[in-house]
Amino acid sequence: MPDLSRPAVVAAGSYTPSFSVRRGRRRVLVANGDEDAVTLAIEAAQDCLTRYEGPVDELHLAFARPELVNGPQAEIVREAAGLDAGVTVSVSAGDSLAGLAAPAAAMNAVQAGRVRSVLLVAAESGDGERVSAGAVAVLVAGSDAPALRPGAQRSAGDVVYGNWTDGDGIRHLGDGRYLDRYVADHAKAALAALDGPPPAAVTGVAAAAVATACGSDRSDVLPDRGVAGPLLAVLAAGSAATGSSATVVATTASRAVALSIEVDAGTRPLLPALPGPVPELPEPIEVRSSPPLSLPGGSPFFRRSARELLRLEGARCDGCGHVVFPPSQRPVCPSCHGYGFTPAPLSRTGRVYTYIVNRFLPTGFGDQMILVLAELNDGSRYWAPTSGMGPDEVEIGAGVELRIRRFTGDGGAPVYAMKFVPPRTARETESRDVA
């Protein structure tokens, strides 16, 4: 018999890039040159799964850009997150509300016993002007323990041409005063249809005007996080409304959605800190580059070893203990020439053993590349470029961590690889929690 436990959000995770730029009086979080919506989604998914030990049956991804739907991106997130190959994957895209319907679908699927759990990830690469980059992930599963439970949704909207980006990447803005009133009217209508209290969290277009129109305080207005904003608003409202019900309103230029949530008494906050102002962070240091690949992305090497490269899956020789990576390309132990191996996932953390700064690079590699040979915590050594680190930040003995970043493009398809990044500090963890 299926487990008909009450479906709820049982775990959450988020990721915030460690860089920002100032736009007038506003500071906006931006992704590094080798980060995109896929790497942000991977980071948030991994963060969420550290708080959940059960199975995952489905993965739903929400992106702002429709072109991310048709390609290997969804499977890349699934593999990098360590999910089974049989996990069903679906993707939605189009606007900042792309992922808001997913919680209701996930709750229904769990309630009906069709699946045990669903991982929802919304990743926003940001526009560098108004929308901050970041990602948020939530895990919906059956739970009889105190938890957050999304409920009914109501929407209102009409066709309006304001705040859109054309095919050349130029952003067009409608009349701000008219647009604010128009969006606020939609939000009031959606909230009235839901028959809920004033929203505990408001996000999206004209959020300040929406909060005023719906009877909320300005403190309930969240910074715009694009497609990641609505899910983050649900978590923020749930953290502030323990033991009661609450509503969330998310808006675009032409549509507003009101969502009800129930928070059981005794529910612990799913995010340690509520979203707040963007912290003062340095500007990105990586230039987006596209170095040529020695082997095409569709070659047998990439096809055989893609899963191992994304998961850091190595193999240990049964004869001498030497670890090879990737195993599909190392059928014979280079140490003892043995053929027997046992799977051995590599550690992701370690310390710099040695490094070089290469400033004489072919076209496509940028001005410089820092290459690090690190001794990982399991004793193996791994050679990879760095991400988000300047030459003055790399020194022998310094701690590093392997994370997936965009390496290049191949025929229009992105190619991802492991890079060394600085280990997460308390400050970075706090900034990630306010994504």
Side-chain angles (χ1 to χ4, degrees):
M1 293 294 292
D3 180 9
L4 297 181
S5 299
R6 297 174 61 205
V9 175
V10 298
S14 63
Y15 176 73
T16 299
S18 300
F19 304 95
S20 66
V21 295
R22 183 171 292 282
R23 295 289 183 258
R25 292 181 295 178
R26 181 189 299 115
R27 183 168 283 275
V28 180
L29 291 170
V30 294
N32 207 12
D34 56 358
E35 291 183 304
D36 58 17
V38 172
T39 65
L40 300 179
I42 291 170
E43 295 278 2
Q46 291 175 338
D47 187 40
C48 179
L49 293 175
T50 60
R51 302 176 176 88
Y52 177 77
E53 298 180 354
V56 175
D57 295 329
E58 290 188 354
L59 170 65
H60 182 85
L61 301 173
F63 297 126
R65 293 166 48 193
E67 60 266 30
L68 292 177
V69 173
N70 185 23
Q73 291 86 347
E75 282 67 31
I76 288 172
V77 176
R78 181 193 65 197
E79 293 298 330
L83 302 179
D84 292 338
V87 170
T88 303
V89 181
S90 60
V91 186
S92 59
D95 63 19
S96 60
L97 303 181
L100 199 53
M107 298 279 285
N108 291 337
V110 173
Q111 179 69 55
R114 183 174 64 82
V115 296
R116 293 164 295 180
S117 61
V118 182
L119 178 62
L120 316 175
V121 187
E124 174 60 59
S125 56
D127 60 7
E129 296 294 333
R130 179 182 60 86
V131 179
S132 288
V136 61
V138 298
L139 200 294
V140 174
S143 174
D144 293 325
L148 184 157
R149 307 178 196 278
Q153 295 185 29
R154 298 292 184 271
S155 65
D158 203 351
V159 177
V160 57
Y161 292 97
N163 290 9
W164 78 94
T165 302
D166 63 22
D168 297 324
I170 300 174
R171 187 169 180 79
H172 300 267
L173 303 178
D175 183 280
R177 293 168 298 177
Y178 173 75
L179 185 63
D180 286 0
R181 181 178 64 79
Y182 202 83
V183 173
D185 288 344
H186 290 164
K188 287 179 63 177
L191 188 64
L194 190 65
D195 194 23
V202 179
T203 186
V205 174
V210 169
T212 300
C214 294
S216 299
D217 296 331
R218 290 295 182 99
S219 60
D220 298 322
V221 176
L222 307 183
D224 197 340
R225 300 295 191 267
V227 73
L231 280 183
L232 189 65
V234 170
L235 299 179
S239 298
T242 301
S244 63
S245 61
T247 59
V248 170
V249 172
T251 59
T252 66
S254 59
R255 186 160 59 105
V257 174
L259 170 67
S260 67
I261 59 174
E262 297 290 333
V263 186
D264 300 332
T267 302
R268 62 177 181 83
L270 291 172
L271 288 178
L274 297 182
V278 173
E280 294 281 340
L281 298 172
E283 293 195 5
I285 64 174
E286 297 288 337
V287 177
R288 189 182 182 102
S289 59
S290 294
L293 291 172
S294 57
L295 293 172
S299 68
F301 172 85
F302 280 99
R303 289 182 179 275
R304 285 197 298 261
S305 60
R307 181 184 181 92
E308 300 163 347
L309 295 172
L310 292 171
R311 293 171 175 253
L312 274 181
E313 289 184 345
R316 189 180 303 277
C317 176
D318 295 335
C320 67
H322 182 83
V323 176
V324 298
F325 180 83
S328 61
Q329 309 301 323
R330 306 288 190 272
V332 180
C333 176
S335 179
C336 70
H337 308 293
Y339 289 90
F341 292 93
T342 300
L346 302 185
S347 172
R348 291 178 180 266
T349 57
R351 296 193 173 277
V352 176
Y353 184 80
T354 187
Y355 69 96
I356 61 172
V357 181
N358 191 344
R359 295 187 174 90
F360 300 93
L361 297 166
T363 302
F365 280 84
D367 296 331
Q368 68 178 17
M369 178 181 290
I370 307 172
L371 296 165
V372 165
L373 177 64
E375 187 167 12
L376 304 180
N377 291 344
D378 58 10
S380 60
R381 291 178 180 173
Y382 197 95
W383 181 262
T386 63
S387 172
M389 302 172 69
D392 56 338
E393 299 178 82
V394 181
E395 59 182 14
I396 294 176
V400 287
E401 186 174 336
L402 281 168
R403 312 299 296 180
I404 290 179
R405 294 292 184 265
R406 182 185 182 277
F407 181 72
T408 187
D410 180 49
V415 177
Y416 299 91
M418 290 290 175
K419 291 188 178 182
F420 283 111
V421 302
R424 291 189 176 95
T425 63
R427 180 191 64 79
E428 289 167 338
T429 301
E430 181 179 355
S431 69
R432 185 177 77 245
D433 288 333
V434 297

